[in-house]
Amino acid sequence: MRSRKRVGAVELPRYVWSRPNKIGRHYYSYTRHRGRDWAWPTIPIPFDPQTQEFWQRCKQCEALEAGQDGGEWRWSWRGPSGRLYPLPSPKAPEFWPAIDDAGKRDASRDGEDRKTFGALVEAYTAHKAYADLADLTKRDYDRHLREIVRIWGDEPVSALTAVDAQEAIDSFQSTPSVARYFRAVLSKLIGFGVPRGFATVNVVADTEKVEHEVEPHEPWPDWAFELFFEHARPALQLPVYSALYTGQRSVDVVPMARPAAGANAIELVARKTGRKVFVPIHSEYREILTRTHLDHPALHLREGGEPWTLAAYRTAWQRDFTSVNAKGTPTSAPAAKKAAMARLREAGLVFHGLRKNAVNMLLEAGGTEAEVSAIVEMSEQMVRHYSRDVNKRRLARNMMRKLEEGWAETRRNLFGEGASAR
């Protein structure tokens, strides 16, 4: 016996029927106008009311249209936009996938017609402007693009006001760096949409810029290197040298390929920017590479001879610095090592700080901001930001040298011709 109204405590939608088998398991189907001459053929629903998919299928059935043509039933589904999409027979295995696909196409076409944020994000991510971004940049963009779709996905871009945008930006005020990036991505997205008819103006231009000064990571002092190389796990050490002598990010350092014998430089493609990087090999670094040479295409290897992955290296680094394993259990590291690593940890020293060490060394050696930028794959503006202390010392030394060179005349102007040195 079939029942439509209720199965247990669940009230079924209109035209949805249940039928128990011999062991009491219920099967569900959709039959519009059941029991009448103009009743539709039965459509099995392959889920039960305990699942979200069941209710989704029931809702999709409500939008079905059917009729007979020459004795054969023709099926279609009408989307929220009002468009009609032909469907195969409900007996065909592709029936439900066809409805799902129609729903996606209807939402996309409706979004295109109404110029929604969802449609704009889809257009942007399919464009060369997005495809040309470095993989790491795409990852960061994707996080904010998903948030934009979550907030305004079905809303027309032209309906967004500066007040709306500012409210969304302010929701990240506890994390200024995130707020700044969200604002930048939103501005980039709407800027992309303006010449494509999604909006007439970029309202983000009228929002407040997020005041946030990025504090560079601290460079490692001499004592930190001494403690690290004395106590750290041996397989963690060569990547530190590589970071110090190349100035690259950990994402590029850890998977470095071993340079060929006699090579004058390490060449790679920076994952963050997608640009080619050429770093001449320093003589002392070459000596380190020679001493640690193993016949393997990868430069940085675990103790067992397998190349490090970035995730595994970071995990091992964290374990060495905290003396706690992945399960949260303290390791059996010697007390001296635990004390040394605790001191490094308490000083806030991280792998990325080695990048500032590299910048500082290059600047101390007299490198220009353009020269340093070329080696460490960093903008000249960021080089200046990283190296404020170094530049101050350089300026102070230059000024004192000028004072020494012109001291005789300066002294006469200060003390007069007859004054003697004291």
Side-chain angles (χ1 to χ4, degrees), residues 84-105:
L84 203 61
Y85 298 86
L87 297 174
S89 166
K91 296 179 181 180
E94 60 269 22
F95 176 75
W96 291 113
I99 294 181
D100 292 338
D101 181 64
K104 292 176 183 177
R105 286 188 288 139

Side-chain angles (χ1 to χ4, degrees), residues 160-196:
L160 186 74
T161 67
V163 174
D164 297 329
Q166 187 66 59
E167 183 179 350
I169 295 166
D170 287 345
S171 69
F172 300 106
Q173 59 185 297
S174 61
T175 51
S177 60
V178 176
R180 185 165 61 94
Y181 211 137
F182 177 84
R183 181 181 185 272
V185 173
L186 180 60
S187 179
K188 183 83 170 180
L189 181 67
I190 297 178
F192 175 85
V194 168
R196 292 166 176 83

Side-chain angles (χ1 to χ4, degrees), residues 223-250:
W223 64 261
F225 286 107
E226 292 175 3
L227 287 179
F228 180 82
F229 288 121
E230 179 181 354
H231 296 284
R233 176 177 167 178
L236 297 179
Q237 297 185 16
L238 183 56
V240 169
Y241 281 119
S242 296
L244 190 61
Y245 283 102
T246 68
Q248 303 306 306
R249 303 171 181 88
S250 61

